[in-house]
């Protein structure tokens, strides 16, 4: 359901980049950190990474920042955290993700990314929990996103705005991640609208068009990050095999359980990668 309090991004005449700039000013004021270098969005199962990246300088409810709202999904903490790495870089950790299926529109979905860019971040790390199409993958396995297919029917770009997505998930950043963990595999991420899980036929469609991972986030955010000039690195936690690949029914409880079991390992991996960027 839409928020009862008007969000400035709901005004069609508002400039979403001006709203993001106001949000970045809020973050600088509330955290005492004038600029961030890297931003990380924590999806299901990745939450503990915030504690491992470095020293937490400040944590604040996302609702205190212009344009943000409370997450609708269990497993997302609803905070923004400023973390200083051992090398002195400042990382904005986003634990408040708005999903497209919430019905707020693409502007709200990508607001955290545009805000991160406005804080100065030049690298956007996007993580999620998702379904795997490859039979060889197992629940709890982290996978690098090599490319994406946007099946939402929407875009965060407005008007005659053309953005090159050839190197959407930067090869340079994926090489760094594989240097940390050479066992990391890659796959193409397909974002569906949700909130229903994909049918077996839809999973087979995704497979036929080149997809390996199915989920309900990330693709719109990645497009907005590239529009803002950021390099993008993406990780999916395979929480289950997708419908028709897995023979048992899908459930959000299963997603949360897989995330809890994998969280210590994948959070350590993510922290190591962020510190190497």
């Amino acid at each position: 359901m839409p928020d009862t309090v008007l969000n400035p991004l709901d005004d069609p005449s508002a400039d979403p980049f001006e709203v993001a700039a106001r949000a970045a000013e809020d973050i600088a004021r509330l955290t005492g950190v004038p600029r961030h270098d890297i931003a990380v969005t924590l999806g299901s199962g990745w939450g503990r990474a915030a504690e491992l990246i470095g020293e937490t300088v400040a944590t604040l409810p996302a609702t205190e920042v212009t344009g943000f709202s409370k997450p609708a999904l269990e497993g997302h903490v609803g905070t923004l955290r400023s973390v200083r790495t051992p090398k002195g870089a400042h990382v904005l950790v986003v634990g408040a993700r708005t999903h497209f299926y919430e019905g707020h529109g693409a502007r709200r979905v990508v607001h955290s990314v545009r805000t991160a860019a406005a804080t100065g971040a030049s690298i956007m790390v996007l993580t999620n929990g998702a379904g795997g199409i490859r039979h060889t993958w197992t629940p709890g396995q982290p996978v690098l996103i090599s490319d994406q297919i946007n099946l939402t029917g929407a875009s965060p770009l407005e008007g005659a705005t053309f953005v090159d997505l050839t190197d959407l998930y930067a090869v340079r950043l994926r090489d760094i991640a594989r240097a940390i963990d050479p066992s990391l595999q890659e796959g193409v991420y397909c974002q569906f609208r949700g909130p229903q899980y994909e049918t077996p036929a839809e999973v087979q469609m995704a497979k036929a068009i080149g997809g390996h991972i199915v989920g309900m986030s990330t693709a719109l955010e990645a497009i907005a990050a590239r529009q803002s000039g950021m390099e993008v690195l993406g990780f999916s936690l395979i929480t289950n095999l997708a419908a028709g690949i897995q023979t048992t029914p899908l459930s959000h409880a299963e997603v949360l359980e897989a995330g809890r079991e994998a969280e210590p390992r994948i959070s350590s991996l993510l922290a190591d990668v962020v510190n190497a960027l």
Side-chain angles (χ1 to χ4, degrees), residues 86-106:
K87 294 180 181 178
H90 291 279
V91 180
L92 179 66
V93 179
V94 180
R97 175 178 252 157
T98 297
H99 290 80
F100 191 54
Y101 58 70
E102 295 176 42
H104 299 306

Side-chain angles (χ1 to χ4, degrees), residues 24 35-36 39 92 112-122 124 224-225 228-230:
R35 179 183 176 86
H36 287 83
L92 179 66
S112 60
V113 171
R114 287 175 172 157
T115 297
T119 70
S122 59
M124 187 74 230
S228 297
M230 305 169 83

Side-chain angles (χ1 to χ4, degrees), residues 246-272:
Q246 175 174 302
T247 56
T248 55
L250 306 182
S251 70
H252 186 54
E254 175 187 40
V255 170
L256 294 175
E257 179 60 26
R260 280 191 290 267
E261 291 183 2
E263 191 171 42
R265 180 170 62 90
I266 64 172
S267 295
S268 178
L269 167 65
L270 182 59
D272 288 344

Side-chain angles (χ1 to χ4, degrees), residues 146-170:
S146 60
D147 205 344
Q148 70 180 35
I149 301 171
N150 175 15
L151 297 175
T152 67
S155 172
L157 308 182
E158 301 179 18
T161 304
F162 306 103
V163 177
D164 179 23
L165 302 180
T166 303
D167 190 28
L168 178 56
Y169 293 93

Side-chain angles (χ1 to χ4, degrees), residues 13 43 48 52 89 108 122-123 155 157 167 213 228:
S13 66
R48 193 175 297 180
L52 304 177
R108 296 271 292 274
S122 59
I123 294 174
S155 172
L157 308 182
D167 190 28
I213 310 162
S228 297

